Amino acid sequence: MLDEIRGAIAPSDAVLRAARERRDRVLSLARGSPRTLRTYSTGSIAHGTANEDTDADCGVVLDRRVHPDLGPDGKGVGPREVVEQVRSLLREKMGTDEGVGYRLTKRAIKVTFIDEVDGQNPSVDLIVALTRRDAPGLWIPNLKADAWDASDPERHTELFTSGARELRRIRARATRLAKAWNKQWASPAFCSFQLEAFAWHAITESMNLGEALAALFSYGASDLLRHDTPDPEEEA
């Protein structure tokens, strides 16, 4: 029964392929900037946990030697101007002839496309991040406040996709089912990242899908009685 549900909620191979191709295209252009140290992929596409959430999350990490004034480790300059510079670069390189749009959200540049694939239209969310000087992880934008917040999306992806192949597979499948369960309500109780954190803590060895889903729910219930969900990166 769980396998039938998993099949019903799964995006098609064509949709996943389009999401990855669009993400890789955006990253290849962002990588061409001289101010870039590296790029990364994260989120449901990178983690193998996508259901209907096929927007591809990724980031470009800036070289602080080119931007010494940016962020809390510099002179406190906010992210709005540099994010706008990256958006202008993408617009220049990709253009708008294919119906490509470049909208700013709280955290990212959302690159949208006009062509649907199997009834879905994956977009790309590109975060313009900055290395931290004295701590692991990155500074990521809060464009509404023109400020930077600490996060470690690269480490999150490393943790969630770690382990043997069978462990990664069952962890991702249980997470996808938990996300579908969570979406039954108009105001879901959990964000996807929180459910992934439960899965990472609870599913530490190979087991069948029913056992994995039960372990995720059991761990989540007991953990929430004790405290807010901790960041897996801080406990790894």
Side-chain angles (χ1 to χ4, degrees):
M1 185 182 296
L2 293 178
D3 284 334
E4 290 179 2
I5 296 171
R6 189 171 56 84
I9 62 178
S12 70
D13 290 342
V15 170
L16 292 175
R17 183 167 55 252
R20 296 187 187 104
E21 289 174 350
R22 293 173 180 184
R23 176 198 65 197
D24 293 347
R25 181 183 177 193
V26 168
L27 287 178
S28 68
L29 296 175
R31 201 178 294 124
S33 170
R35 61 173 61 98
T36 298
L37 276 178
R38 62 183 182 274
T39 58
Y40 65 87
S41 299
T42 190
S44 61
I45 297 295
H47 298 176
T49 62
N51 292 333
E52 80 288 348
D53 51 333
T54 54
D55 294 343
D57 298 316
C58 57
V60 54
V61 183
L62 301 179
D63 186 344
R64 66 168 49 258
R65 293 171 299 181
V66 183
H67 302 282
D69 294 344
L70 284 181
D73 297 328
K75 295 183 179 179
V77 174
R80 285 177 182 160
E81 182 176 350
V82 72
V83 171
E84 189 58 53
Q85 291 172 1
V86 175
R87 178 162 72 154
S88 296
L89 172 69
L90 292 178
R91 187 183 289 115
E92 175 187 346
K93 298 293 185 180
M94 294 181 67
T96 57
D97 292 343
E98 302 174 13
V100 182
Y102 309 89
R103 178 171 62 86
L104 296 183
T105 66
K106 178 181 178 180
R107 299 287 186 194
I109 304 168
K110 179 176 284 293
V111 184
T112 57
F113 301 81
I114 196 170
D115 296 328
E116 288 193 355
V117 180
D118 288 351
Q120 291 186 257
N121 197 347
S123 62
V124 177
D125 289 345
L126 177 72
I127 288 179
V128 180
L130 186 68
T131 53
R132 300 179 72 188
R133 185 174 61 195
D134 300 319
L138 302 170
W139 294 113
I140 65 171
N142 180 336
L143 294 173
K144 291 184 177 180
D146 197 21
W148 300 88
D149 296 328
S151 185
D152 202 343
E154 294 171 300
R155 180 61 172 157
H156 295 154
T157 296
E158 178 186 347
L159 289 173
F160 196 81
T161 58
S162 64
R165 181 174 181 273
E166 178 61 22
L167 174 59
R168 299 195 307 269
R169 183 181 67 88
I170 201 67
R171 183 191 291 145
R173 290 182 174 182
T175 300
R176 288 184 54 230
L177 288 170
K179 286 168 61 176
W181 163 83
N182 189 47
K183 286 287 188 178
Q184 294 179 88
W185 295 279
S187 299
F190 304 100
C191 67
S192 295
F193 178 79
Q194 190 167 17
L195 294 173
E196 287 194 355
F198 291 159
W200 184 79
H201 281 289
I203 305 169
T204 58
E205 60 185 11
S206 180
M207 58 185 72
N208 67 46
L209 186 54
E211 292 170 336
L213 190 60
L216 187 158
F217 282 132
S218 178
Y219 176 89
S222 61
D223 195 61
L224 287 171
L225 286 174
R226 296 187 293 116
H227 54 198
D228 291 339
T229 305
D231 190 330
E233 188 275 329
E234 297 176 356
E235 298 196 337

